[in-house]
Amino acid sequence: MFTGIIEEQGAAVALFELDGAAQLRIRADQVLGGLHLGDSVAVNGVCLTVIELHLDDEANRGFTVDVMPETLRRSTLGGVRPEQGLNLERAVVAGGRLDGHIVQGHVDGVGTIRSRTPGPRWDDVVITVPRDLARYVAEKGSVAVDGVSLTVTEVGDDWFGVSLIPTTLEVTTLGKLQPEITVNLEVDVIAKYVERLLQQTERVGS
């Protein structure tokens, strides 16, 4: 489980295609602390497993992760380019602070930046969302965009708005977002469970 509070902005070294799947090598620093083989790291909001550590490579210290076909289909990771910035977060430690919201690292779909409006100290961004996910997004609710926990400021039938504070603009890749760029979206898991429970209740009652 993750919180959506990004620890550092790493960078892609290379994406290797492997029989429909892939391996992604990532340059990083801060998240390497205490990182072990088999650990989970959220990469642009996608929960991935560390399969190699590169601690002695001074130019490209970091780690490698497997990227399964399902992840390539549902996320933007298949289009990652060398030197592209990546939002990184290690799994939350039991007993630690949950500063963002519950993020599983299970991307639900891909959205597109519709507009970006600079403000005095923040940017307002509107993101299109697939219609089958739009029902899970609520004003003042939470959504993860490329792994970043954000509060929804407004909603439409196929879009939602967020405001990016100075820290988010500086620390994460969202500071570079421009219209037409695609992003990974994970809606609030609680909303999905509520919907599922209501569906089951209706079936039992019918």
Side-chain angles (χ1 to χ4, degrees), residues 7-111:
E7 295 186 89
E8 75 167 305
Q9 191 176 150
V13 176
L15 181 71
F16 306 99
E17 297 183 2
L18 299 169
D19 299 323
Q23 288 183 348
L24 175 60
R25 181 167 176 178
I26 298 167
R27 185 165 61 249
D29 181 30
Q30 185 173 340
V31 299
L32 296 179
L35 196 65
H36 301 92
L37 296 179
D39 284 354
S40 296
V41 178
V43 179
N44 271 13
V46 182
C47 178
L48 300 173
T49 300
V50 176
I51 61 170
E52 290 183 55
L53 289 168
H54 311 287
L55 304 180
D56 298 325
D57 185 342
E58 293 185 6
N60 289 304
R61 291 185 78 245
F63 59 95
T64 295
V65 291
D66 273 328
V67 187
M68 294 295 97
E70 173 72 1
T71 301
L72 294 173
R73 284 193 296 269
R74 284 185 176 266
S75 76
T76 61
L77 292 188
V80 167
R81 304 175 307 279
E83 299 305 318
Q84 178 178 328
L86 299 169
N87 295 322
L88 304 177
E89 180 191 356
R90 290 169 292 186
V92 66
V93 178
R97 290 190 177 93
L98 186 63
D99 290 329
H101 73 284
I102 297 173
V103 177
Q104 295 181 294
H106 303 161
V107 170
D108 293 300
V110 173

Side-chain angles (χ1 to χ4, degrees), residues 111-186:
T112 304
I113 305 303
R114 177 180 290 182
S115 66
R116 177 172 181 162
T117 305
R121 297 186 63 249
W122 66 89
D123 284 4
D124 291 322
V125 177
V126 173
I127 303 172
T128 60
V129 59
R131 287 186 177 271
D132 61 335
L133 295 180
R135 64 181 181 272
Y136 301 115
V137 182
E139 187 174 343
K140 303 307 178 186
S142 297
V143 64
V145 177
D146 272 353
V148 183
S149 175
L150 298 172
T151 299
V152 178
T153 57
E154 54 182 340
V155 294
D157 291 337
D158 64 349
W159 60 270
F160 65 90
V162 292
S163 292
L164 307 181
I165 64 174
T167 298
T168 301
L169 294 171
E170 179 181 353
V171 175
T172 77
T173 62
L174 302 192
K176 300 181 179 68
L177 291 182
Q178 297 298 329
E180 304 304 322
I181 289 179
T182 54
V183 290
N184 294 321
L185 301 177
E186 181 184 337

